[in-house]
Amino acid sequence: MRVTALAGGTGAAKLIRGLAELVPPSDLTIVVNTGDDARIWGLHVSPDLDSVTYALAGRLDVARGWGLRDETFNCLDAVGALGAETWFNLGDRDLATHLVRTERLNAGEPLSAVTAQLARRQGVASLILPMSDDPVRTRILTSDLPGVASGWLDFQEYFVREKASLAVVDVAYAGASDATPAPGVVDAIADADVVVVCPSNPVTSIGPILAVPGLVAALHATRAPVIGVSPIVGDAPVSGPAGALMRARGLPVSSLGVAQAYRGWLDSLVVDVRDAEFASALRDLGIASVVADILMTDHAREVALARVVLEGACA
Ligand code: FO1
């Protein structure tokens, strides 16, 4: 069974770890958000590509959800001692990824090719595709607050530097309208037997993927069932600032709001047992609900939820 997953953020990495236990590597393709990409100390950092790659390579710091297991931060400390900014915690071995990526991008290689090489060198046989080789950057408009940064911020400035504490007024995907899908992305959606939308923030993890022209059309056109997993339980995100970002986009902070963001092309949505009541509202949107325990607190639960997803898609 060929499975294509749309992914971004820490929830996605967990479900991908589960899917990898059930789907042969050569049948698993992951289309990854690059709206979070950032330039830190002159290096191109692709957090979501790295989280998925490290997850599949068995190298991810699972508790943190980003970066490498057993990481050290000596370079960060040394950079700080020289007076540079250290709000973005780049680990010593993680730095190697950003150095190699940046060197190859500077030499003119596309991000998709660099991503494939980095994955192969880490023993990952699944196909990890950036949504686009073109730069698309998620920008957050924050309201004026005395004494803190306001206006349009890059996603990592909002999320890490400001700890997602600022009021969100709007979200934009800079560069999206001029971007094209990376090679293989549209085919991966068209040729899949199942398309999975991971339990990621619908605004800043899946939203940038959907903003790349042609990708919503590909989701409409695919013959594969498209199944999502809600990143919300009740009225609260499982993790991160999805609530504030969804509100800024006019979406209710609930599984129903997630369904509204994906209406038109999503066939079914896995919602938590506490949200079974949304079944009829989802049906009104043309989306079937699959009820399960969606919290992935250990690896067994990652695999169990992945099984629910694959069975739910084919039900
Ligand atoms: N998230 C944080 O909350 N604090 C950090 O200092 C941080 C550093 C970091 C370094 C490399 C990397 O690949 C990811 C990193 N993240 C950090 C995670 C990242 O900001 C977010 O998880 C994603 O952008 C959301 O998908």
Side-chain angles (χ1 to χ4, degrees):
M1 183 196 290
R2 288 160 303 173
V3 176
T4 294
L6 310 188
T10 53
K14 291 180 179 210
L15 187 65
I16 300 291
R17 280 160 43 90
L19 288 169
E21 298 279 353
L22 305 175
V23 180
S26 56
D27 286 349
L28 182 59
T29 299
I30 304 107
V31 176
V32 182
N33 169 43
T34 54
D36 293 7
D37 285 19
R39 192 155 283 274
I40 308 285
W41 307 334
L43 302 177
H44 185 118
V45 181
S46 295
D48 288 352
L49 284 171
D50 291 341
S51 295
V52 169
T53 307
Y54 294 160
L56 288 175
R59 304 178 73 206
L60 183 71
D61 184 314
V62 175
R64 242 186 354 225
W66 53 268
L68 289 162
R69 209 170 351 104
D70 303 324
E71 183 61 287
T72 54
F73 293 87
N74 296 309
C75 182
L76 185 82
D77 291 344
V79 165
L82 293 173
E85 291 195 340
T86 55
W87 53 265
F88 199 74
N89 293 282
L90 290 183
D92 294 329
R93 288 179 307 130
D94 189 32
L95 261 176
T97 302
H98 314 311
L99 285 166
V100 171
R101 176 188 293 119
T102 306
E103 185 191 36
R104 291 185 181 163
L105 289 173
N106 287 347
E109 291 185 47
L111 182 61
S112 52
V114 177
T115 301
Q117 292 162 17
L118 290 171
R120 208 174 315 120
R121 294 294 298 196
Q122 292 174 73
V124 175
S126 296
L127 193 53
I128 301 174
L129 298 171
M131 63 196 197
S132 177
D133 280 332
D134 303 314
V136 177
R137 295 293 174 266
T138 300
R139 309 261 296 150
I140 309 291
L141 181 62
T142 62
S143 59
D144 282 348
L145 290 175
V148 296
S150 63
W152 285 103
L153 300 181
D154 290 339
F155 178 78
Q156 299 299 348
E157 292 174 331
Y158 159 77
F159 184 62
V160 176
R161 192 186 71 199
E162 303 301 333
K163 302 184 172 47
S165 61
L166 304 181
V168 179
V169 179
D170 201 0
V171 180
Y173 310 115
S177 54
D178 297 326
T180 55
V185 169
V186 170
D187 287 347
I189 294 170
D191 299 341
D193 296 309
V194 176
V195 175
V196 178
V197 184
C198 288
S200 303
N201 183 323
V203 178
T204 54
S205 293
I206 303 299
I209 300 177
L210 303 178
V212 176
L215 293 193
V216 168
L219 289 161
H220 274 286
T222 184
R223 283 197 303 271
V226 183
I227 185 165
V229 180
S230 177
I232 310 276
V233 175
D235 61 0
V238 174
S239 68
L245 294 159
M246 289 177 74
R247 267 191 294 273
R249 278 277 153 139
L251 294 166
V253 184
S254 66
S255 291
L256 181 57
V258 176
Q260 287 175 3
Y262 301 156
R263 72 186 300 177
W265 49 266
L266 192 77
D267 297 309
S268 47
L269 183 67
V270 183
V271 301
D272 193 71
V273 282
R274 284 154 279 190
D275 291 329
E277 69 200 67
F278 287 120
S280 73
L282 261 60
R283 208 176 307 121
D284 291 344
L285 296 174
I287 297 171
S289 51
V290 176
V291 177
D293 183 351
I294 64 170
L295 294 182
M296 293 176 281
T297 45
D298 57 33
H299 187 53
R301 283 165 179 260
E302 294 169 351
V303 181
L305 185 58
R307 188 169 283 115
V308 167
V309 168
L310 298 180
E311 289 174 0
C314 300

